[in-house]
Amino acid sequence: MPDISRLGRSIVVGPGQPVPDGWGGCERRAVTAIDASVAADLHQAWRERLPLIVELKPGIGLDSPAEPPAETVTGHQPWEWTVGLDLPGERLHHAIWANSVDGRDAARPAHRWTEAAIAAGATPAPADADYDVVLPDGRLAVCDGGPLDAGLADRIGLPVVHRTAIEHRSLRPLGRPAGRAAGALADDQRAAVTEGRAGARVIAPAGSGKTRVLTERARSLVVDWGLPPASIALVAYNVRAAGEMRARLADVPDLRIRTLNALALRLCGRSTTLDEPEVRRILGNLVSFPRRAEADPIAPWIEALSRVRLGLVAPDLVEEEVGDVSGLTEVWPQYRDELQRRDAVDFDQQVAGAIERLLGDPAFRARSQRFARVLLVDEFQDLTPAHMLLLRLLAGPAGAVFGVGDDDQTIYGYAGATPRWLVDFAQWFPGSVEHSLEVNYRCPPEVVGAAVNVLSRNAVRVPKVVRPARPTGATPGLLVREASPAPATATTDRVEELIGAGVDPVDIAVLSRVNASLVPVQVLLGHRQVPVDAVGDRRFLQRGGVRAALAWLEVATAPDRQLPGAALREAARRPKRGMSNGLLDMLARPRRADALRDLAGWLEEKGSNREADKVHQLAGDVDLVRQSAGRGTAAILGLVRRQVGGGGLDASASALDQWSHGAIAAHADDLDALTELAALEPDPSRFGAWLADRLSLERSAGGVTVASIHAVKGREWPHVIVHHASAGLMPHRLSTDTEEERRIFHVGLTRASETATLVSGPTPSPFIAEMAAPGKPEPAPTRADRTAVDPTTGRRPGSGVTSGSGGGTSASGRTGKADLELLAASPGVTFTSGGHEHEVVETAVTGAVCVLGGGPARAVVPFGATVTAGGRAMMLAHPAAPGAWERLRAWRTDRATHQKVPPYVIFDDQTLRLVAAHLPVDERGLLALRGVGPAKFGSYGAELIAVAEEFREQAAM
């Protein structure tokens, strides 16, 4: 028998059964039930090759060495899974049997892998031999079921045929991991490629040769280690990366290289994948959407369904995070059932379906794991929670995952990616080793140093050393342009400067945080006849704020007697004034500029004083912008952004921007871009047509790349211009995760191989100052990360709802799904909040003014807060809320009947309760409530505000 102390080969016996002499000095562990702690203990012994005597109680589902217990997880929704989902029976079976001798029959001890090797063509060794088999070529060898380790043969002095090969009927012993291209690799790359253990975390900073390491590792596993290609799965992050890997590994036949979704599609067992247009058609049949040219009401639903399945987030939490998806809890099962009825999947369901099948079919899971004994995973930091769970299920208990990535390039946090996948890699895949690539071969030294300094301030990252491959040259590789009031002009000037110096336009990229800030660059480059590798996006003209601003320009410059009705109607809609659709339709008729006041007078005669006041206010705004028409496009836009309708379009944009997520451009960014464009066409009467013409660009394949940073990760250019590296954009004002914003900035900077130029607006990004010197890590981000997970439990933190002074809700009114009864905050009403007795003395705009405990201390408890009254939890509400609640329910019923949809599609009960509780009378107040997003506001906002105004007025009488 081979030396069990070196192989770590255990023996399994029955209760009280004696053991052969070879295991006489080993520890004895009893297994009497499937237990997670026992599984962890025995699994650690397997990883450390610690031979044990496993005393196995029969009949607990672990009797067969070849068949794990039929452990299933079925009937669960995606959000009920966790990344750390544990299958203790599978883990325990592996720990017991993977590297053990079955000694329960003392007369015929059996070693599973030796018997399988003999079945594949090996000759059994004599009973007293120190090896297991004689291979067909005459070599003596041992058969191993321990952790995959190419150094084992050297340590025991005999060839080793690993179970990974035997499972595929291969008798090729493990070879030395030399790597055919090892001589062409740098030292740090070679160390990772030739690592003798199968599982490893490889930190690969920008430009460090990540793809080369990954592909050479795959080649080495087949060519040098001798593993069957069918036992290896190389997972590329996207189609482009998969194509590049296939090209590099064309000489390694039968090696499977797939994207995550291609792998998932093969696993989920569905042949039909629905494209996005078909997904939109299905959602169109399930949800009633408003027809609005400036919005895409289906997009939030597609995002929400993705968060449910890839982010593993419950629909009620997604409703709080994503606007305009009220009723997602009801729509999700209907959408899922429709996919099942069609026997089809969409893009995200490929992954969810693969997980469902792996969890629900133990035999299928075991077969699939045999074809993924070594998983090589690209861009590990970009995985979503569902991707991580899928890979863990495929890796199985052995967990031989070779993950390559860079925590400092995690920029898709809104999709669930987190640097903790790499930071906590060893907890997800115990026994893995660590390697770090340290040389940036792409970027100039100045860029490498600047990126290192910026990232040094992040707390959640893997400590690392990154140094440039080349010395500082005579020409600086990092240029910071002076702050400019016209950054698009400064960027375009830099592009022309490079082209004038002989640089091919295809070697230049202009990158920015958001797409909106690139529109002026595209227009200006086209104006100067510089070829651009980007299509002009006329959809920019249909963005809500842009559409409204252009309408105001048209109103401002129209002849006195030909005020365009369509433009006036659009201008009246934003900033929101709470005008009903009927009143807006009245404004849609062409009229004289001074006829608006006549309309207001007519409304007064009809007794519609509220509507008349709104028209009077609109008339004043029309006069204001028309009087400024001669001052030019920029002057009118300034008035429209800051004065019309009270707070101007900027206030509307700020309210709408609370629904922006991740890489999605904000409404305020659109207005900033429009203002910058105004300088290029000062005539306001021509501006709209001029801009539409300029956005009708055709792509030039040999042109300058103009793109967001999120769109180009993984690519590089000789010359990169990081456009609008300004405060408010880098970091973006809407982001609550400064660490991710630094990573985005770093990714943009490190796309450059020769020069990186930073162009800012009037106030440069604070990251520019951070480039000068390293700093200390700041405290970890305080935002509630609803996508990251605790690696010890695999569970996500709570919903992140913060407690306001009322104790159960934030001041914005975002609450949970509980159906709380309304408590009208009339004077004299008492309740408990925050452990104190409160008595309402008066009503403020946003809450109830209370005295505490009968004393002089006062506090304002916001409407929507959860309080306790009469021993029950209730929602504090405006005194007029009960009547408003009944009116709103009746309104919803009428709307649902008219639109032929279920009432919850309009708004769910909780959203209507919040509206009744707050009675908001402006755009900002209504949009602050959970369940009221931009599209819902555009469809129903005016009607809700009208109800709120009516009941507030009644309460004030």
Side-chain angles (χ1 to χ4, degrees):
M1 179 179 295
D3 185 348
I4 64 166
S5 63
R6 291 190 175 187
L7 288 174
R9 191 177 288 178
S10 297
I11 188 165
V12 179
V13 297
Q17 181 180 342
V19 297
D21 293 340
W23 284 274
C26 297
E27 293 184 49
R28 195 176 188 109
R29 307 285 177 87
V31 179
T32 59
I34 293 177
D35 180 271
S37 62
V38 174
D41 182 39
L42 294 187
H43 211 269
Q44 182 174 353
W46 173 82
R47 289 196 305 272
E48 296 175 356
R49 291 186 178 272
L50 176 67
L52 299 173
I53 302 166
V54 180
E55 188 176 278
L56 180 62
K57 178 181 178 180
I60 60 173
L62 301 169
D63 295 322
S64 170
E67 296 180 10
E71 195 169 19
T72 62
V73 178
T74 58
H76 286 61
Q77 298 288 356
W79 60 90
E80 295 174 313
W81 304 327
T82 64
V83 178
L85 185 148
D86 187 25
L87 297 172
E90 182 178 274
R91 280 201 301 129
L92 185 55
H93 181 274
H94 178 271
I96 292 172
W97 290 114
N99 195 28
S100 297
V101 171
D102 186 353
R104 292 174 296 178
D105 182 351
R108 288 190 70 254
H111 182 231
R112 176 185 176 191
W113 305 119
T114 297
E115 291 181 347
I118 293 168
T123 302
D128 59 349
D130 60 356
Y131 55 93
D132 291 318
V133 294
V134 180
L135 299 177
D137 62 5
R139 284 183 292 175
L140 312 180
V142 297
C143 301
D144 182 53
L148 188 54
D149 181 356
L152 179 62
D154 289 338
R155 295 198 297 274
I156 67 173
L158 282 172
V160 173
V161 183
H162 195 265
R163 70 179 180 113
T164 301
I166 298 170
E167 285 178 326
H168 293 271
R169 298 189 65 79
S170 169
L171 295 176
R172 181 175 172 179
L174 289 175
R176 293 179 177 274
R180 294 198 310 169
L185 298 171
D187 290 344
D188 55 354
Q189 296 171 340
R190 184 181 301 106
V193 168
T194 61
E195 167 58 50
R197 285 156 291 186
R201 180 194 74 180
V202 180
I203 300 298
S208 61
K210 167 181 67 67
T211 304
R212 164 172 278 196
V213 166
L214 198 63
T215 53
E216 288 305 320
R217 175 67 169 187
R219 175 178 284 108
S220 180
L221 290 174
V222 176
V223 176
D224 302 321
W225 290 52
L227 295 180
S231 67
I232 301 168
L234 205 167
V235 183
Y237 187 71
N238 55 33
V239 173
R240 183 182 61 81
E244 181 180 352
M245 292 177 189
R246 289 190 189 100
R248 295 190 183 204
L249 292 167
D251 60 325
V252 184
D254 303 323
L255 186 62
R256 293 165 301 130
I257 304 170
R258 295 193 178 100
T259 64
L260 275 164
N261 274 83
L263 177 63
L265 179 60
R266 188 171 183 86
L267 290 169
C268 74
R270 297 288 189 273
S271 59
T272 302
T273 299
L274 306 181
D275 56 16
E276 184 172 314
E278 187 59 28
V279 168
R280 287 174 171 270
R281 280 190 284 273
I282 294 174
L283 285 171
N285 292 331
L286 298 177
V287 183
S288 177
F289 296 108
R291 294 185 177 275
R292 296 169 60 222
E294 74 272 23
D296 180 2
I298 300 182
W301 286 87
I302 294 175
E303 178 189 353
L305 291 172
S306 184
R307 296 281 291 121
V308 167
R309 292 173 292 175
L310 298 188
L312 309 185
V313 182
D316 58 342
L317 289 179
V318 175
E319 285 188 37
E320 294 184 14
E321 296 174 351
V322 180
D324 296 324
V325 292
S326 292
L328 177 64
T329 303
E330 293 81 10
V331 171
W332 152 249
Q334 296 174 16
Y335 180 80
R336 179 200 58 209
D337 292 346
E338 179 61 19
L339 292 184
Q340 291 176 346
R341 187 187 69 79
R342 297 180 180 214
D343 194 28
V345 292
D346 63 13
F347 198 63
D348 295 337
Q349 192 61 31
Q350 291 173 349
V351 177
I355 293 172
E356 287 176 353
R357 191 176 179 196
L358 288 169
L359 287 174
D361 187 340
F364 173 74
R365 185 168 68 242
R367 289 196 305 273
S368 300
Q369 289 169 352
R370 283 200 294 273
F371 292 92
R373 290 302 183 198
V374 183
L375 275 166
L376 298 99
V377 185
D378 186 24
E379 300 287 11
F380 205 88
Q381 75 284 345
D382 290 333
L383 301 174
T384 68
H387 292 149
M388 267 291 284
L389 176 56
L390 175 62
L391 292 176
R392 287 190 64 246
L393 291 172
L394 270 181
V401 174
F402 190 87
V404 182
D406 181 12
D407 51 299
D408 288 331
Q409 295 186 65
T410 310
I411 64 173
Y412 301 113
Y414 61 90
T418 169
R420 291 203 172 275
W421 299 146
L422 286 166
V423 173
D424 302 320
F425 190 91
Q427 297 182 52
W428 295 113
F429 304 104
S432 57
V433 294
E434 299 175 0
H435 287 274
S436 291
L437 308 184
E438 298 184 350
V439 181
N440 182 318
Y441 296 94
R442 176 193 302 154
C443 301
E446 301 92 339
V447 169
V448 175
V452 167
N453 289 341
V454 170
L455 292 170
S456 68
R457 291 164 170 82
N458 279 4
V460 183
R461 66 190 297 252
V462 177
K464 58 178 70 71
V465 173
V466 184
R467 59 184 186 275
R470 57 184 189 261
T472 302
T475 303
L478 178 64
L479 299 91
V480 180
R481 292 297 168 98
E482 292 185 8
S484 170
T489 300
T491 290
T492 307
D493 289 345
R494 173 58 175 161
V495 170
E496 289 195 316
E497 178 185 316
L498 289 167
I499 293 174
V503 175
D504 192 319
V506 78
D507 291 333
I508 303 171
V510 177
L511 309 177
S512 190
R513 174 65 177 84
V514 294
N515 285 313
S517 65
L518 294 167
V519 174
V521 176
Q522 283 186 270
V523 170
L524 196 52
L525 287 171
H527 179 71
R528 298 189 188 180
Q529 298 184 333
V530 175
V532 176
D533 186 8
V535 177
D537 191 357
R538 290 175 63 94
R539 290 176 300 178
F540 176 74
L541 301 174
Q542 299 303 321
R543 297 274 293 170
V546 173
R547 186 183 175 97
L550 294 178
W552 276 105
L553 287 177
E554 192 175 348
V555 168
T557 58
D560 285 343
R561 294 185 175 275
Q562 298 179 22
L563 202 63
L568 182 61
R569 188 185 194 281
E570 185 64 39
R573 290 182 64 246
R574 189 170 282 122
K576 296 292 184 182
R577 302 167 188 272
M579 289 185 172
S580 66
N581 287 329
L583 183 53
L584 289 170
D585 290 341
M586 291 183 188
L587 297 173
R589 304 163 190 162
R591 63 183 71 241
R592 302 186 321 275
D594 57 4
L596 281 174
R597 300 196 186 280
D598 295 339
L599 174 61
W602 179 81
L603 289 168
E604 288 172 346
E605 292 175 4
K606 296 291 185 180
S608 302
N609 293 330
R610 273 207 314 269
E611 287 78 4
D613 288 344
K614 294 170 184 176
V615 176
H616 275 304
Q617 292 170 5
L618 175 63
D621 288 336
V622 169
D623 290 344
L624 177 67
V625 297
R626 289 181 65 79
Q627 291 165 8
S628 302
R631 295 168 54 196
T633 306
I636 298 174
L637 286 178
L639 291 174
V640 171
R641 292 189 64 176
R642 287 177 282 278
Q643 293 189 37
V644 300
L649 287 179
D650 281 357
S652 293
S654 178
L656 290 166
D657 279 348
Q658 68 181 301
W659 294 107
S660 294
H661 300 283
I664 300 176
H667 295 77
D669 297 330
D670 298 335
L671 296 176
D672 289 342
L674 203 65
T675 298
E676 190 169 1
L677 285 163
L680 303 179
E681 178 47 79
D683 184 348
S685 65
R686 290 170 40 85
F687 183 79
W690 169 85
L691 182 56
D693 179 66
R694 293 296 178 182
L695 288 177
S696 300
L697 299 173
E698 294 184 2
R699 180 186 297 273
S700 174
V704 175
T705 297
V706 179
S708 71
I709 294 172
H710 284 88
V712 300
K713 193 167 76 69
R715 300 178 62 188
E716 63 180 87
W717 292 264
H719 303 278
V720 167
I721 302 166
V722 180
H723 173 67
H724 234 316
S726 310
L729 282 174
M730 295 182 183
H732 199 281
R733 63 188 175 279
L734 297 179
S735 174
T736 57
D737 188 346
T738 303
E739 295 208 356
E740 180 160 301
E741 293 296 307
R742 282 197 186 94
R743 295 193 292 267
I744 294 169
F745 178 78
H746 149 258
V747 167
L749 198 64
T750 54
R751 299 310 93 198
S753 61
E754 293 184 24
T755 67
T757 304
L758 299 175
V759 174
S760 76
T763 307
S765 164
F767 298 156
I768 293 178
E770 292 180 1
M771 295 190 309
K776 294 182 179 179
E778 299 174 350
T782 56
R783 73 182 179 98
D785 186 346
R786 299 178 190 176
T787 60
V789 292
D790 180 345
T792 61
T793 64
R795 295 192 176 277
R796 187 178 299 102
S799 66
V801 179
T802 57
S803 179
S805 59
T809 178
S810 68
S812 69
R814 296 180 188 275
T815 74
K817 293 285 290 180
D819 293 332
L820 297 178
E821 191 176 331
L822 296 172
L823 176 66
S826 303
V829 168
T830 61
F831 59 84
T832 302
S833 177
H836 298 283
E837 289 293 327
H838 291 65
E839 180 180 348
V840 179
V841 294
E842 60 180 306
T843 302
V845 175
T846 60
V849 181
C850 305
V851 293
L852 276 65
R858 293 195 172 199
V860 177
V861 181
F863 296 137
T866 301
V867 300
T868 302
R872 293 179 299 162
M874 303 183 76
M875 182 188 296
L876 190 68
H878 189 279
W885 164 239
E886 295 302 323
R887 172 72 64 80
L888 289 167
R889 290 179 67 195
W891 165 83
R892 180 179 62 178
T893 299
D894 290 343
R895 267 294 203 167
T897 301
H898 177 71
Q899 294 179 208
K900 299 180 180 179
V901 296
Y904 67 77
V905 172
I906 308 298
F907 285 113
D908 60 22
D909 281 356
Q910 185 68 357
T911 300
L912 283 193
R913 278 195 178 87
L914 286 170
V915 174
H918 288 262
L919 293 183
V921 294
D922 59 23
E923 182 174 15
R924 185 185 296 270
L926 188 54
L927 280 166
L929 304 182
R930 184 209 67 83
V932 184
K936 288 287 180 73
F937 183 88
S939 300
Y940 312 118
E943 297 167 68
L944 295 180
I945 287 174
V947 171
E949 285 181 333
E950 176 186 344
F951 279 86
R952 276 189 181 263
E953 287 180 4
Q954 289 179 7
M957 292 179 180

